[in-house]
Amino acid sequence: MQQVKEQMICITECVAKRFQSLDEHGELQREAILKGLREQIGTVQWKLDAIEGYVDTCLAEVKEKREQKQKAGELKEEGCSRAPLAFHSCMWRQFWNGCPADLRVDSPKCNKLRERVANGDTRFFGKHFLHKYYPSPRDEE
């Protein structure tokens, strides 16, 4: 699993560089991120109204976590940058929590996810990716 995790981190770094969201020094680029997100959002007004605040919140969160790891001597300088994946996870939480109540899907699964995210539990994040690309042998039965 550790190898798969490292591959996902490297893939995310590669994608971020491809879209100029991450520069050659490993720094996330606010304006490139905003441009890309605005293109993806289209005309969804609540997202357009919130996007800058979400991006600024997540850039600050990623920077703070990096500084904490650096102070604790836990920052890995080798390997791929974890910043794009950490940023993506933060943005996912921001959009999930920021969705207006009248647009939320009221299903047991969505309500459970909303509860878990509100409690800070995002361990489930990305599991759909793993199941899609690394299926379990049980899925073949």
Side-chain angles (χ1 to χ4, degrees), residues 22-39:
L22 187 73
D23 70 12
E24 63 276 358
H25 304 292
E27 298 295 323
L28 291 165
Q29 301 298 301
R30 182 182 186 273
E31 295 308 314
I33 291 168
L34 283 170
K35 180 180 181 249
L37 288 172
R38 285 186 180 120
E39 289 171 3

Side-chain angles (χ1 to χ4, degrees), residues 21 33 73 76 98 100 102 105 121 123 140:
S21 298
I33 291 168
K76 294 181 181 178
D102 60 323
V105 174
D121 180 5
R123 289 175 292 167
E140 296 172 6

Side-chain angles (χ1 to χ4, degrees), residues 82-131:
R82 288 165 160 60
L85 191 59
F87 179 82
H88 181 268
S89 179
C90 177
M91 288 297 291
W92 185 87
R93 283 190 327 271
Q94 294 295 318
F95 277 113
W96 186 265
N97 288 329
C99 181
D102 60 323
L103 297 176
R104 292 181 179 176
V105 174
D106 186 20
S107 71
K109 183 176 182 177
C110 287
N111 292 336
K112 176 85 171 163
L113 287 173
R114 219 176 333 282
E115 179 184 322
R116 289 174 74 178
V117 171
N119 293 330
D121 180 5
T122 56
R123 289 175 292 167
F124 59 90
F125 180 69
K127 287 188 179 176
H128 66 282
F129 175 86
L130 293 176
H131 290 297

Side-chain angles (χ1 to χ4, degrees), residues 4-18:
V4 171
K5 181 179 177 182
E6 290 298 323
Q7 289 173 351
M8 287 179 65
I9 290 167
C10 291
I11 289 168
T12 308
E13 177 189 41
C14 182
V15 170
K17 285 180 177 177
R18 168 69 175 89

Side-chain angles (χ1 to χ4, degrees), residues 50-106:
I51 192 70
E52 283 194 45
Y54 290 174
V55 167
D56 290 341
T57 295
C58 291
L59 288 173
E61 180 180 303
V62 169
K63 182 178 179 181
E64 181 181 338
K65 284 182 179 181
R66 181 178 172 83
E67 289 171 354
Q68 288 173 350
K69 285 189 174 206
Q70 197 168 23
K71 283 181 184 176
E74 299 170 357
L75 188 64
K76 294 181 181 178
E77 294 298 330
E78 73 279 347
C80 299
S81 173
R82 288 165 160 60
L85 191 59
F87 179 82
H88 181 268
S89 179
C90 177
M91 288 297 291
W92 185 87
R93 283 190 327 271
Q94 294 295 318
F95 277 113
W96 186 265
N97 288 329
C99 181
D102 60 323
L103 297 176
R104 292 181 179 176
V105 174
D106 186 20

